[in-house]
Amino acid sequence: MEFPILQTDRLKLVQITEDHIDHVFSIFSDVRVTKYYGMAHFTDIQQAMNLVDSFQKSFQEKRSIRWGITFKDTEEFVGTIGLNNLQIASRKTEIGYDLKPEYWRRGIISEAAGAVIKYCFDKLDLYRIGAVTFPENEPSFKLLLNLGFQKEGLLRGYIYQDNKSNDAYIFSIIKPDWNNQ
């Protein structure tokens, strides 16, 4: 399968390659980004290399797709967005995203997520997209609600981070919901 490049008015969602390792490290070494990510922040560039390798391997195995978020006009790499636990045969996946803090609250993830959701329903013919957030991550779950996701409930002790098990909210959007927007 060829890697799908997606575009919006301002953004181009591209395949993450070795050329992006420094950007990936910059994002995931920022404790503000990983605070609600379900993993510790990066402390070594090798961690970014391993993550980029895992993005590529998981895509080849059709288990996930992870895009780099870039601006069309400058090609600046500002974040990532992707599908985790991609199950084409079961017609479902989970969406996740991250963004450099200096670009928060500018509608970038909302714009990128809209393109990814459209791709999921129109091209991959998925039926369900889930999302998991920490209850404390209000900007993330408000974004999901604005995109048409519904809050399904609380997953107790679902995410292990900072040496403890943390609760998480689970959200979803299904194809009929998206088609009716």
Side-chain angles (χ1 to χ4, degrees):
M1 178 160 99
E2 186 175 322
F3 192 90
I5 305 299
L6 306 180
Q7 295 192 51
T8 68
D9 289 342
R10 296 182 294 169
L11 308 172
K12 188 172 184 181
L13 307 184
V14 300
Q15 186 169 20
I16 300 171
T17 68
E18 291 75 22
D19 295 340
H20 302 116
I21 287 171
D22 289 339
H23 298 291
V24 170
F25 180 74
S26 170
I27 293 165
F28 288 97
S29 63
D30 191 318
V31 294
R32 296 170 294 175
V33 174
T34 59
K35 181 176 183 180
Y36 299 122
Y37 207 80
M39 68 179 202
H41 70 281
F42 287 177
T43 56
D44 186 274
I45 193 78
Q46 185 62 48
Q47 294 170 292
M49 294 170 143
N50 294 344
L51 187 61
V52 169
D53 286 345
S54 77
F55 290 158
Q56 293 174 347
K57 183 178 182 199
S58 294
F59 174 72
Q60 291 165 353
E61 295 171 353
K62 298 181 180 170
R63 294 184 295 119
S64 72
I65 304 173
R66 196 76 181 190
W67 289 270
I69 302 170
T70 65
F71 286 113
K72 275 170 124 170
D73 56 353
T74 64
E75 297 184 8
E76 181 182 2
F77 190 105
V78 296
T80 79
I81 188 166
L83 306 176
N84 306 312
N85 302 318
L86 179 59
Q87 298 176 39
I88 301 286
S90 298
R91 298 182 64 202
K92 63 184 177 181
T93 192
E94 293 176 3
I95 195 168
Y97 38 81
D98 49 81
L99 190 67
K100 290 181 180 180
E102 57 266 34
Y103 294 100
W104 289 356
R105 293 175 182 79
R106 294 189 190 180
I108 293 167
I109 293 297
S110 195
E111 189 174 327
V116 170
I117 294 165
K118 181 175 176 34
Y119 175 78
C120 286
F121 292 140
D122 293 353
K123 301 294 185 199
L124 296 179
D125 195 29
L126 299 183
Y127 186 79
R128 174 191 167 90
I129 303 169
V132 175
T133 69
F134 280 75
E136 302 82 6
N137 193 354
E138 192 173 331
S140 185
F141 72 72
K142 282 185 172 179
L143 169 99
L144 292 167
L145 293 171
N146 287 337
L147 287 167
F149 282 72
Q150 293 182 20
K151 182 178 166 189
E152 295 182 336
L154 180 72
L155 300 171
R156 298 181 310 144
Y158 190 74
I159 300 173
Y160 189 78
Q161 180 171 319
D162 297 330
N163 296 313
K164 65 180 181 177
S165 293
N166 298 274
D167 293 345
Y169 287 149
I170 179 76
F171 295 83
S172 73
I173 187 169
I174 57 174
K175 194 171 189 172
D177 297 340
W178 180 256
N179 289 340
N180 290 330
Q181 287 190 13

